[in-house]
Amino acid sequence: MGVAPEHAFALDVDKIRADFPILAKEVHGKPLAYLDNAASSQKPLAVLEAIDHYYRAENANIHRGVHHLSELATKKYEDAREKVRAFINAERASEIIFVRGGTEAINLVASTFGRSRVGEGDEIVITHMEHHSNIVPWQMLCEQTGAKLRVAPIDDRGALIVDEFEALLGERTKMVAVVHVSNALGTINPAEKLVAMAHERGIPVLLDGAQAVPHHAVDVQALDCDFYAFSGHKMFAPTGIGVLYGKQKHLEAMPPYQGGGEMITTVSFEKTEYNVVPHKFEAGTPNIAGTIGLGAAIDYMQAIGLAAIEAYEHDLLDYMTSRMSAIEGVKVIGTAPEKAGVLSFNIEGAHPHDVGTILDREGVAVRAGHHCAQPVMDRFGVPATARASLAFYNTREDVDRLVAATEKVREIFA
Ligand code: PLP
């Protein structure tokens, strides 16, 4: 099959697995094969310990206190911002806004930047492979403003039809919002090229990077995107923390998102002055522990190395794709030439939910459903798929277990 074993990579998977206590769990009396990473990834000890340490030894509110613990917590919080900056190669730490997750990041842009730019008759271009969180906020903006949503099509492999994307960019296009890596299909979009096409016409671009950052290095300056959104919990950090990157010039010009403490410099009943970015967009007490956990997750990923993670997962995806495709009655949905981490599939005669349940009885955790991407399901004429999704701690053994469990499903439904 021409695929290299795990030890051929600069990545010690046994050692890595030992860092994730949950991976040693048994499910229904079987060892866990966790293949639902696109939904949420597991957390290494380094992240768990960073959060634990914060609550045990550093807990205080940030930015406002003059006492030792508050200064310590503030430093940890701002250190995490710098780690995120370096992780995605943003020019400045002030371009990093902490939010609840990718969903909130996109909503923030739609309801501030979008709301101040988009008017009646204007157009917002997205693609057919977006997650609902990169569809609905723009639809809501269209409802509020009278703008129109235009959708760039995808081909039968699940790749964006780039020419048709470009053809949609016109005089009335005020915003482009595109997923970097599709959660339902695994397709990697040619983000840099799409951004360049939009910029040639003066159109700003938001990239939804929720499924990109766990799998390969992202450089927002090289991409030249205006906004980049992602969630912590899909990249080995806790839930409830995410990031919006925005170019400084946009963040400064945008109205605030939520009002409250921290996002102001002075408040009177007559007039309120807003704080500088990024604080203008971080109203109220933020998820301090989650932010520190995100910083620890970044340190952890960088210690392994993003290039090593990408190479290892690429090989594992090839292995999973070839083994699963070889099973009679299995149809893989999403076969674009450039893919990361995800294998969506259906088994002839079996409903994806039944597939998910039977796999679970074998200790194999996958997701079954529409993956918050119903238009993708419609495009492929299926109500749902089963989806196995990888992280760097998965092994060929996990894949072999998936294959064996899938063969069992076949026997049951044959
Ligand atoms: N975008 C993509 C591509 C996703 O896969 C997800 C989550 O599955 C999101 C956005 C939303 O992320 P969250 O639910 O963490 O806000």
Side-chain angles (χ1 to χ4, degrees), residues 1-163:
M1 215 164 289
V3 280
E6 273 118 33
H7 58 73
F9 294 90
L11 182 141
D12 184 344
V13 184
D14 285 344
K15 185 163 166 286
I16 287 170
R17 287 180 70 82
D19 291 334
F20 290 80
I22 206 168
L23 297 179
K25 226 178 125 71
E26 289 201 341
V27 172
H28 305 304
K30 310 261 167 66
L32 171 66
Y34 187 78
L35 294 169
D36 193 20
N37 294 287
S40 202
S41 61
Q42 301 302 347
K43 322 301 174 202
L45 283 169
V47 169
L48 304 179
E49 282 163 6
I51 297 166
D52 184 71
H53 180 75
Y54 164 70
Y55 279 126
R56 282 175 193 272
E58 296 163 340
N59 177 52
N61 210 332
I62 56 166
H63 290 142
R64 280 160 263 180
V66 288
H67 59 83
H68 174 72
L69 285 182
S70 177
E71 281 174 3
L72 208 57
T74 304
K75 180 168 183 325
K76 283 287 186 75
Y77 182 82
E78 292 302 330
D79 283 353
R81 199 189 305 277
E82 170 54 27
K83 286 178 190 181
V84 174
R85 185 210 63 73
F87 182 64
I88 59 169
N89 193 34
E91 197 183 335
R92 309 171 201 203
S94 56
E95 294 176 318
I96 305 301
I97 317 267
F98 288 124
V99 288
R100 274 195 302 131
T103 302
E104 188 173 42
I106 298 168
N107 275 278
L108 191 163
V109 177
S111 54
T112 59
F113 185 77
R115 195 68 207 255
S116 59
R117 257 185 91 82
V118 173
E120 194 169 352
D122 287 339
E123 294 180 354
I124 299 165
V125 172
I126 62 169
T127 79
H128 206 120
M129 69 175 96
E130 301 307 318
H131 186 278
H132 294 165
S133 63
N134 203 26
I135 301 174
V136 184
W138 304 113
Q139 260 171 345
M140 287 161 62
L141 181 61
C142 288
E143 274 168 22
Q144 289 156 2
T145 59
K148 213 171 149 196
L149 198 63
R150 306 294 305 272
V151 182
I154 57 179
D155 66 19
D156 291 341
R157 298 167 308 168
L160 180 68
I161 304 174
V162 174
D163 290 350

Side-chain angles (χ1 to χ4, degrees), residues 78-315:
E78 292 302 330
D79 283 353
R81 199 189 305 277
E82 170 54 27
K83 286 178 190 181
V84 174
R85 185 210 63 73
F87 182 64
I88 59 169
N89 193 34
E91 197 183 335
R92 309 171 201 203
S94 56
E95 294 176 318
I96 305 301
I97 317 267
F98 288 124
V99 288
R100 274 195 302 131
T103 302
E104 188 173 42
I106 298 168
N107 275 278
L108 191 163
V109 177
S111 54
T112 59
F113 185 77
R115 195 68 207 255
S116 59
R117 257 185 91 82
V118 173
E120 194 169 352
D122 287 339
E123 294 180 354
I124 299 165
V125 172
I126 62 169
T127 79
H128 206 120
M129 69 175 96
E130 301 307 318
H131 186 278
H132 294 165
S133 63
N134 203 26
I135 301 174
V136 184
W138 304 113
Q139 260 171 345
M140 287 161 62
L141 181 61
C142 288
E143 274 168 22
Q144 289 156 2
T145 59
K148 213 171 149 196
L149 198 63
R150 306 294 305 272
V151 182
I154 57 179
D155 66 19
D156 291 341
R157 298 167 308 168
L160 180 68
I161 304 174
V162 174
D163 290 350
E164 298 205 23
F165 165 85
E166 187 169 26
L168 286 179
L169 305 176
E171 295 262 292
R172 308 271 13 202
T173 315
K174 287 287 162 18
M175 185 82 210
V176 165
V178 175
V179 73
H180 196 173
V181 175
S182 156
N183 66 310
L185 301 166
T187 309
I188 305 176
N189 275 318
E192 207 169 321
K193 188 168 165 186
L194 304 180
V195 172
M197 283 174 169
H199 281 182
E200 268 169 36
R201 297 157 175 90
I203 306 162
V205 181
L206 175 140
L207 294 176
D208 170 0
Q211 301 291 347
V213 284
H215 302 296
H216 56 81
V218 167
D219 180 335
V220 291
Q221 291 189 74
L223 289 167
D224 198 27
C225 55
D226 298 274
F227 299 98
Y228 198 90
F230 57 98
S231 301
H233 70 98
K234 295 177 196 291
M235 51 170 290
F236 320 101
T239 49
I241 186 68
V243 171
L244 172 67
Y245 157 81
K247 283 186 176 166
Q248 182 88 11
K249 62 174 183 186
H250 295 318
L251 296 179
E252 279 174 4
M254 280 154 61
Y257 179 46
Q258 294 178 333
E262 182 58 24
M263 52 78 71
I264 49 81
T265 48
T266 61
V267 176
S268 72
F269 291 121
E270 290 69 41
K271 179 154 178 60
T272 289
E273 301 283 346
Y274 301 131
N275 207 339
V276 294
V277 297
H279 311 293
K280 183 170 87 175
F281 294 102
E282 293 182 358
T285 301
N287 181 354
I288 305 165
T291 308
I292 291 169
L294 176 61
I298 288 173
D299 288 344
Y300 186 84
M301 289 179 76
Q302 284 180 331
I304 297 173
L306 272 296
I309 289 172
E310 183 180 359
Y312 176 72
E313 288 184 7
H314 194 275
D315 177 76

